[in-house]
């Protein structure tokens, strides 16, 4: 396996620029991956990397700048964003992360001789031709560096790629989903496994703001088993699958206000039924992806030890649900809660 190293910092640390310049000087190539574009609406301390989490649900809270509010997308809890970081006292709390476009600009300013191509939804759109053009130029050595989102992962198969940089490697950890850590772990392991396939040994640099987290400790040592054991422990304590069954009710509507009212109403109808059936009701809360294809989205999460109890709740409450113009769907054992 290639050597995996952590670089503490945000943006593009100096050490990364140096590594990119070294590869270019040797006629080798690099791939720069930006983790999960466009999902960074959480708050992070600029100094210590602290991210606020829901104490009940242990997922990252999303940040609504206009209201200066933090919200849990599972249980619906919300509170005012703090003025200072509770861990280090810093007042520099802000949206983390930058998009690929800003990274590209920064690279061209700080390493003007590096020939970079950016691949993401904005540059590619739906045109697969752009893709193959960029990849064949990269293959022929006409480019030094591919920059982009998951799309550039294909570039990892080129033999001259000896350096892979993952910027904001911890972004995935703050996705409001209880499987966020597991997914990030396997994504980064995959990336590392594919780097340096040619003759030259590969190197992987992971840029993150809190390398002390146990997540990175396990990752660097390739300790998947130990990592998953600690994840399972957490899920047992917090009653997430596989220690409980979930059923997600997804509501969507073109009108936000109508949707919120309807979600409250549905939760009100479900609550007494849940209470009788040993089912726990979380929410209602806006989904992490609050708007999709022109529709606002809210969800209610039902949790129980036995799947029959969930089915009972649906059976007993469904006749009383009058959805009007709001759409409702049931998602048993949801794969994600976004
Ligand atoms: Zn802090
Ligand atoms: Zn919560």
């Amino acid at each position: 396996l290639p050597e995996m190293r952590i670089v503490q910092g945000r943006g593009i640390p100096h050490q990364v620029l140096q590594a990119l310049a070294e590869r270019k000087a040797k006629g080798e190539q690099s791939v720069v991956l930006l983790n999960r574009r466009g999902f960074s609406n959480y708050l992070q301390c600029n100094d210590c990397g602290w991210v606020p989490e829901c104490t009940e649900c242990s997922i990252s809270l999303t940040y609504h700048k206009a209201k200066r509010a933090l919200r849990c997308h599972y249980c619906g809890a919300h509170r005012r964003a703090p003025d200072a970081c509770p861990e280090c006292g810093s007042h520099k709390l802000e949206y983390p992360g930058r998009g690929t476009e800003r990274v590209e600009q920064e690279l061209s300013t700080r390493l003007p001789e590096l020939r970079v191509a950016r691949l993401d939804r904005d540059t590619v759109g739906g045109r697969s031709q752009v893709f193959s053009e960029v990849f064949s130029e990269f293959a022929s050595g006409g480019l030094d560096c591919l920059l982009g989102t998951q799309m550039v992962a294909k570039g990892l198969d080129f033999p001259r790629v000896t350096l892979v940089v993952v910027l904001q490697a911890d972004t995935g950890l703050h996705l409001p989903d209880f499987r966020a850590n597991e997914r990030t772990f396997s994504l980064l392991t995959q990336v590392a496994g594919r780097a340096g396939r040619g003759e030259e040994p590969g190197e992987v640099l992971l840029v993150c703001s809190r390398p002390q987290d146990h997540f990175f400790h396990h990752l660097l040592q390739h300790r998947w088993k130990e990592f998953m054991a600690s994840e399972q422990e957490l899920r047992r304590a917090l009653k997430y699958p596989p220690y409980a069954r979930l059923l997600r009710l997804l509501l969507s509507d073109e009108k936000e206000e109508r949707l919120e009212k309807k979600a409250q109403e549905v939760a009100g109808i479900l609550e007494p039924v849940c209470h009788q059936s040993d089912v726990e009701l979380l929410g209602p809360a806006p989904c992490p992806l609050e708007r999709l294809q022109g529709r606002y989205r809210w969800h209610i999460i039902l949790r129980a030890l036995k799947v029959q109890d969930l089915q009972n709740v649906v059976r007993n409450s469904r006749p009383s649900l009058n959805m009007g113009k709001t759409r409702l769907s049931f998602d048993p054992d949801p794969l994600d809660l976004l």
Side-chain angles (χ1 to χ4, degrees):
L1 281 168
E3 196 191 342
M4 212 183 331
R5 285 198 293 139
I6 297 279
V7 179
Q8 183 170 11
R10 306 179 66 178
I12 314 174
H14 180 70
Q15 207 181 324
V16 168
L17 292 172
Q18 221 169 11
L20 288 168
E22 272 167 28
R23 302 299 147 143
K24 177 174 170 62
K26 286 200 276 180
E28 296 168 8
Q29 293 175 310
S30 315
V31 168
V32 178
L33 263 166
L34 202 60
N35 222 352
R36 284 214 84 116
R37 176 176 176 272
F39 209 104
S40 55
N41 50 345
Y42 56 93
L43 197 66
Q44 187 166 41
C45 171
N46 204 1
D47 289 324
C48 76
W50 171 80
V51 172
E53 280 189 353
C54 176
T55 46
E56 296 298 314
C57 310
S58 185
I59 58 159
S60 299
L61 299 170
T62 52
Y63 178 51
H64 295 258
K65 200 172 185 178
K67 300 179 200 155
R68 277 198 57 73
L70 295 171
R71 176 162 228 164
C72 174
H73 284 284
Y74 280 12
C75 70
H78 52 95
R79 56 182 159 96
R80 246 186 89 80
D83 295 316
C85 170
E87 292 204 358
C88 76
S90 166
H91 287 272
K92 282 185 240 151
L93 298 176
E94 50 193 46
Y95 280 116
R98 43 198 89 190
T100 41
E101 201 181 336
R102 213 176 123 195
V103 172
E104 186 186 29
Q105 283 167 2
E106 206 174 329
L107 279 178
S108 72
T109 316
R110 296 170 72 186
L111 286 177
E113 70 284 6
L114 195 75
R115 296 165 301 168
V116 183
R118 171 164 70 99
L119 280 180
D120 58 30
R121 264 171 288 172
D122 296 335
T123 58
V124 175
R127 298 157 296 164
S128 57
Q129 190 201 343
V130 177
F131 243 134
S132 41
E133 275 171 18
V134 169
F135 278 119
S136 67
E137 200 186 348
F138 192 57
S140 70
L143 292 166
D144 303 310
C145 177
L146 274 186
L147 160 70
T149 48
Q150 282 91 324
M151 278 183 194
V152 302
K154 201 182 152 202
L156 301 178
D157 289 331
F158 293 102
R160 258 185 290 189
V161 172
T162 55
L163 173 68
V164 176
V165 179
V166 183
L167 296 175
Q168 295 160 214
D170 45 2
T171 307
L173 301 177
H174 306 306
L175 197 71
D177 192 291
F178 71 90
R179 295 188 187 91
N181 290 358
E182 178 184 346
R183 295 213 168 121
T184 306
F185 195 106
S186 60
L187 175 80
L188 294 177
T189 306
Q190 256 173 37
V191 166
R194 290 174 63 185
R197 293 207 147 179
E199 308 260 297
E200 296 299 317
E203 186 183 23
V204 179
L205 298 179
L206 304 175
V207 179
C208 67
S209 37
R210 274 167 90 90
Q212 70 272 30
D213 285 357
H214 86 285
F215 175 87
F216 288 104
H217 175 74
H218 288 310
L219 182 73
L220 289 191
Q221 313 215 1
H222 307 286
R223 286 165 35 168
W224 169 256
K225 253 194 179 151
E226 289 85 347
F227 166 73
M228 275 317 287
S230 66
E231 283 293 295
Q232 296 294 0
E233 211 36 64
L234 193 69
R235 284 179 205 175
R236 187 202 305 274
L238 294 164
K239 289 183 286 170
Y240 284 128
Y243 303 101
R245 302 292 291 264
L246 300 181
L247 172 70
R248 179 205 211 191
L249 279 75
L250 183 64
L251 296 88
S252 71
D253 201 315
E254 287 155 7
K255 298 234 164 73
E256 196 175 13
E257 257 172 57
R258 185 168 64 197
L259 174 63
E260 179 170 356
K261 250 171 86 185
K262 192 52 89 176
Q264 303 286 2
E265 183 192 310
V266 170
I269 293 171
L270 291 174
E271 221 152 36
V273 190
C274 288
H275 196 71
Q276 289 166 7
S277 329
D278 272 332
V279 172
E280 193 182 349
L281 183 147
L282 299 178
C287 300
L289 295 171
E290 289 185 32
R291 201 154 178 244
L292 213 58
Q293 290 159 342
R295 300 181 72 85
Y296 292 93
R297 307 162 79 238
W298 275 58
H299 60 187
I300 296 168
I301 300 164
L302 303 184
R303 171 159 64 188
L305 292 179
K306 285 180 277 174
V307 72
Q308 293 87 338
D309 291 332
L310 293 173
Q311 288 162 349
N312 279 341
V313 169
V314 173
R315 206 175 18 248
N316 294 336
S317 53
R318 211 167 187 170
S320 343
L321 300 179
N322 173 19
M323 295 311 293
K325 291 198 162 142
T326 305
R327 240 180 252 160
L328 169 68
S329 62
F330 295 86
D331 188 7
D333 300 320
L335 282 178
D336 68 58
L337 294 163
L338 296 178

